Amino acid sequence: MGAQNLGAQKMDRAAAERFVAAWCANWCKVDIDAVVAHFAADAQMRSPLALSLTGSPVVTGAENIRAYWREAYGHIESADLKILSWSWDEVIARLTVWWQLGDTRASEFMDFDDAGRVVRSEAFYGK
């Protein structure tokens, strides 16, 4: 796995499928460290919940994202997150996931860099 700089971990459809499975499993366990491990150091995450908790819809930097998620979800031990569907756009390296948790439905997109790290994500929630 040492060829990271050569794009050996670049996302493709098969890698995106593995990512979705791991991402879902990590959120079901509320393993925030495992989720954040997929983010680039300077990643940006945007969500309506971030706006209500922090006063800004955007959280910048993997460590700040980790701290935000610990505050938002750290009290939860598990979550029954269900993946409804997902799609991968090879041209712009964007994964879109549609998921449900309880009666909340969401779509979330994640943009990846050449090393397979999330550099930007944004979530949209509804019923």
Side-chain angles (χ1 to χ4, degrees), residues 41-63:
D42 60 349
Q44 286 193 333
M45 189 273 314
R46 183 181 190 105
S47 98
L49 184 59
L51 177 59
S52 66
L53 283 184
T54 70
S56 171
V58 179
V59 180
T60 301
E63 291 311 310

Side-chain angles (χ1 to χ4, degrees), residues 1 9 12 18 20 27 35 38 40 45 53 60 75 78 88 90 92 96 104-105 113-114 126-127:
M1 305 286 294
Q9 296 182 1
D12 58 18
R18 291 189 301 272
V20 169
W27 272 119
V35 177
H38 295 282
M45 189 273 314
L53 283 184
T60 301
H75 61 287
S78 65
W88 171 249
E90 188 82 36
I92 60 173
T96 305
T104 299
R105 293 169 59 89
D113 64 14
D114 288 340
K127 297 291 181 189

Side-chain angles (χ1 to χ4, degrees), residues 91-107:
V91 175
I92 60 173
R94 176 172 287 172
L95 172 66
T96 305
V97 180
W98 293 269
W99 52 267
Q100 184 162 344
L101 181 60
D103 64 352
T104 299
R105 293 169 59 89
S107 65

Side-chain angles (χ1 to χ4, degrees), residues 5-122:
N5 293 338
L6 303 176
Q9 296 182 1
K10 185 175 172 76
M11 291 292 281
D12 58 18
R13 183 167 179 77
E17 186 169 18
R18 291 189 301 272
F19 178 91
V20 169
W23 181 84
C24 181
N26 290 332
W27 272 119
C28 284
K29 294 182 292 191
V30 195
D31 187 343
I32 291 165
D33 289 336
V35 177
V36 174
H38 295 282
F39 279 67
D42 60 349
Q44 286 193 333
M45 189 273 314
R46 183 181 190 105
S47 98
L49 184 59
L51 177 59
S52 66
L53 283 184
T54 70
S56 171
V58 179
V59 180
T60 301
E63 291 311 310
N64 292 328
I65 293 168
R66 181 191 323 273
Y68 158 72
W69 278 337
R70 282 200 176 131
E71 180 183 342
Y73 307 110
H75 61 287
I76 300 168
E77 292 184 8
S78 65
D80 189 18
L81 184 79
K82 292 179 174 36
I83 301 297
L84 303 175
S85 185
W86 64 274
S87 68
W88 171 249
D89 185 326
E90 188 82 36
V91 175
I92 60 173
R94 176 172 287 172
L95 172 66
T96 305
V97 180
W98 293 269
W99 52 267
Q100 184 162 344
L101 181 60
D103 64 352
T104 299
R105 293 169 59 89
S107 65
E108 185 164 343
F109 76 76
M110 291 167 256
D111 293 337
F112 290 81
D113 64 14
D114 288 340
R117 294 286 173 107
V118 178
V119 291
R120 184 173 36 262
S121 73
E122 185 164 356

